[in-house]
Amino acid sequence: MPGPNRFIVVLYDAKALFHFFADLSCMYKIPESVLVVIYTEDLQVLLMERADKLDYWQSVTGSKDFPDEALEVTAMREVQEETGIVVAAEAGAVPLSNLRDWGVANVYEIYPVWRHRYAPGVTKNTEHVFGLLVPNDVPVTLAPREHLQYKWLPYREAADACFSPSNAEAILQLPRHLVE
């Protein structure tokens, strides 16, 4: 029979303890995310088809990588990961000032098909809405594990094409949040 000390783990410094818990938190998605409506001056909206659910069209979405990640950072990271569009204060990038927090947070029930990605008992997600104005000719490079194809649609048609009600509603709110 094993002794009582068999499962004791001693971590000698705070950095090791931080990494231990950071590794545990990576096991599950954080139920706080961003939705980024990417659009052009003439109100064309970028939609992408999910790779894991055919005919499910959406804007950029994604969860925080860690609890204290700033929402703006989450939005910039997800835009780049999913579309290849870089938002930064550097030449050739979409300017940071074109990424706007719309001050909207939707709390919704996580679809049952995706609940396994979250910690046991987590059923709701808080989604923060952003808008990103991009040039008409911005190149889009999809992450093939996440999306199969993309299309630009007039904003009302884009809203109709979304599978997610919160995504559709965000797109319909686009004219209220235009970058000046």
Side-chain angles (χ1 to χ4, degrees), residues 28-92:
Y28 298 110
K29 288 182 71 141
I30 296 167
E32 188 169 18
S33 64
V34 297
L35 166 68
V36 184
V37 176
I38 299 175
Y39 65 96
T40 61
E41 282 185 349
D42 59 350
L43 301 185
Q44 296 289 308
V45 172
L46 177 67
L47 289 184
M48 301 166 296
E49 183 181 24
R50 292 184 67 102
D52 61 357
K53 268 305 210 184
L54 297 182
D55 207 34
Y56 270 42
W57 291 87
Q58 67 177 61
S59 296
V60 168
T61 62
S63 295
K64 289 180 162 188
D65 272 353
F66 41 89
D68 61 346
E69 182 177 41
L71 292 168
E72 183 179 65
V73 171
T74 304
M76 291 172 17
R77 176 179 49 75
E78 288 293 336
V79 165
Q80 185 169 359
E81 287 175 4
E82 294 187 22
T83 69
I85 298 170
V86 176
V87 180
E90 61 188 51

Side-chain angles (χ1 to χ4, degrees), residues 35 57 106 108 111 127 159 162-172:
L35 166 68
W57 291 87
N106 301 309
Y108 64 86
Y111 285 91
E127 172 186 78
C162 288
F163 81 93
S164 162
S166 65
N167 195 164
E169 181 59 30
I171 291 170
L172 289 173

Side-chain angles (χ1 to χ4, degrees), residues 14-15 22 37 76 81 91-92 102-103 111 119 123 137 145 149 154 164 179:
K15 186 175 182 181
V37 176
M76 291 172 17
E81 287 175 4
W102 287 359
Y111 285 91
T123 60
D137 61 350
R145 295 183 72 213
Q149 58 184 324
S164 162
V179 172

